[in-house]
């Protein structure tokens, strides 16, 4: 979740979480940040299948529509004015948005590419391609940030680059605890990421400075019910995350903790075996 550099605290306090319910309907739903008032705002029947990404930017929700062929689309916060911006090929996975355009990752034939387009979907261009897997894509208004696992070397790293794909820099390779990094969030002066956790490996919420220094474990949990951390969004005082692959459907849901890791875990919504992506607006 990217915050424009000129955001004030009053703007950062956004009251709603938007999430995709990948079970059955694959609908777009809205939930208050206190866990109340969950509501479907766009149903799959409208031609929308949200199972990849949701991003909030300037009063719009930008989404990856997983219906075949996959698309980058957007709608207003109440679900109205749904429109397709880009139609892609392959497996569209990650998405971030800023004034410089739309950026998304696409997995095709073993390679992952990052594409850029104007906000109206025009001028699509490939800015980066590697034989690698990319999980998490975000920006701070200046650079793109992403997690990459190189398929040749198995090196896992958080990287950044300019919006045209130039000046690629490895920020840190100290990101892996034996389980996948599932999402990256750049908010304020920090990069946040998730380690999903495994049978004998703790799940983690992590943070470092944007230059890769001061790596901090915010939360580390051996609780089987807190495995399968999947999607992350950071607000002013709280961190919100999904469990999509918990030890049972009862564990799956939307959770939060304080920005310092206290009050972990606080369950906001459960009983959904496959929540998949999350935005704060």
């Amino acid at each position: 979740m990217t915050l424009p550099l000129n955001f004030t605290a009053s703007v950062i306090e956004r009251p709603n979480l938007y999430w995709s319910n990948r079970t059955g309907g694959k609908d777009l739903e809205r939930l208050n940040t206190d866990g109340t008032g969950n509501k479907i705002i766009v149903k799959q029947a409208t031609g929308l299948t949200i199972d990849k990404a949701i991003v909030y930017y300037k009063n719009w929700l930008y989404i990856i529509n997983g219906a075949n062929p996959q698309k980058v689309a957007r709608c207003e916060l109440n679900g109205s004015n749904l429109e397709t911006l880009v139609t892609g090929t392959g497996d569209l996975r990650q998405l971030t948005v800023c004034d410089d355009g739309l950026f998304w990752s696409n997995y095709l034939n073993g390679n992952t590419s990052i594409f850029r387009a104007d906000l109206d979907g025009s001028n699509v261009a490939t800015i980066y391609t590697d034989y690698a897997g990319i999980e998490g894509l975000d920006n701070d208004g200046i650079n793109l940030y992403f997690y990459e696992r190189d398929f040749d070397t198995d090196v896992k790293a958080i990287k950044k680059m300019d919006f045209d794909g130039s000046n690629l820099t490895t920020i840190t390779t100290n990101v892996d605890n034996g389980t996948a990094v599932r999402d990256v969030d750049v908010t304020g002066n920090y990069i946040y990421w998730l380690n999903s956790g495994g049978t004998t490996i703790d799940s983690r919420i992590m943070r470092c400075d944007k230059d890769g220094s001061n790596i901090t474990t915010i939360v580390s949990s051996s609780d089987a019910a807190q495995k399968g951390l999947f999607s992350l969004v950071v607000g002013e005082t709280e961190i919100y995350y999904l469990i999509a692959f918990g030890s049972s459907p009862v564990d799956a849901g939307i959770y939060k903790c304080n920005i310092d890791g206290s009050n972990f875990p606080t369950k906001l919504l459960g009983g959904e075996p496959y929540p998949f992506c999350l935005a704060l607006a």
Side-chain angles (χ1 to χ4, degrees):
M1 172 61 65
T2 302
L3 305 179
L5 299 179
N6 61 353
F7 262 31
T8 62
S10 62
V11 179
I12 292 174
E13 293 172 354
R14 292 157 288 167
N16 294 311
L17 292 164
Y18 290 82
W19 65 285
S20 65
N21 184 351
R22 205 178 185 189
T23 302
K26 299 183 180 179
D27 303 320
L28 174 62
E29 306 194 20
R30 182 178 64 210
L31 176 71
N32 297 331
T33 53
D34 63 2
T36 63
N38 192 59
K39 179 181 180 180
I40 295 173
I41 62 168
V42 181
K43 291 189 69 64
Q44 185 191 20
T46 63
L48 183 73
T49 301
I50 304 175
D51 58 359
K52 298 296 179 66
I54 309 171
V55 174
Y56 168 74
Y57 193 67
K58 290 189 174 180
N59 297 318
W60 289 89
L61 294 173
Y62 293 83
I63 60 178
I64 291 180
N65 184 348
N68 190 24
Q70 296 183 18
K71 307 171 184 70
V72 180
R74 72 175 186 177
C75 66
E76 296 190 43
L77 296 182
N78 62 2
S80 64
N81 293 322
L82 177 66
E83 60 179 331
T84 295
L85 302 173
V86 177
T87 299
T89 58
D91 185 3
L92 281 62
R93 294 189 173 185
Q94 309 291 330
L95 176 67
T96 189
V97 183
C98 64
D99 282 349
D100 280 79
L102 312 168
F103 300 86
W104 67 95
S105 65
N106 185 15
Y107 181 76
L108 181 64
N109 297 327
N111 292 318
T112 299
S113 298
I114 296 177
F115 288 80
R116 183 213 167 270
D118 294 343
L119 290 174
D120 63 0
S122 62
N123 297 316
V124 175
T126 305
I127 62 170
Y128 179 76
T129 298
D130 199 4
Y131 182 58
I134 291 176
E135 295 285 351
L137 178 65
D138 205 354
N139 79 87
D140 63 358
I142 301 172
N143 296 110
L144 291 174
Y145 296 78
F146 58 95
Y147 164 80
E148 180 182 79
R149 177 188 173 188
D150 188 290
F151 291 149
D152 283 325
T153 64
D154 202 37
V155 171
K156 302 159 185 143
I158 292 176
K159 299 183 177 183
K160 74 173 182 178
M161 63 185 180
D162 295 344
F163 290 137
D164 63 0
S166 63
N167 296 317
L168 179 67
T169 303
T170 295
I171 296 173
T172 179
T173 57
N174 190 13
V175 296
D176 182 65
N177 69 339
T179 62
V181 172
R182 286 298 186 187
D183 203 1
V184 172
D185 182 295
V186 182
T187 295
N189 295 319
Y190 300 109
I191 304 168
Y192 298 82
W193 69 92
L194 299 173
N195 292 114
S196 60
T199 303
T200 60
I201 303 174
D202 289 358
S203 56
R204 303 189 307 183
I205 301 174
M206 305 292 293
R207 185 190 77 190
C208 70
D209 294 351
K210 287 201 284 187
D211 64 0
S213 62
N214 297 318
I215 294 175
T216 302
T217 301
I218 298 173
V219 169
S220 182
S221 177
S222 60
D223 185 353
Q226 287 296 304
K227 303 296 176 71
L229 306 191
F230 201 79
S231 184
L232 170 75
V233 62
V234 179
E236 183 186 16
T237 61
E238 295 177 313
I239 297 171
Y240 304 89
Y241 63 97
L242 298 180
I243 293 180
F245 308 109
S247 59
S248 74
V250 175
D251 302 326
I254 302 174
Y255 293 78
K256 70 177 180 179
C257 65
N258 292 337
I259 200 82
D260 62 358
S262 59
N263 293 328
F264 173 91
T266 300
K267 193 170 191 176
L268 298 177
L269 184 71
E272 299 292 348
Y274 219 155
F276 204 71
C277 40
L278 189 66
L280 184 61

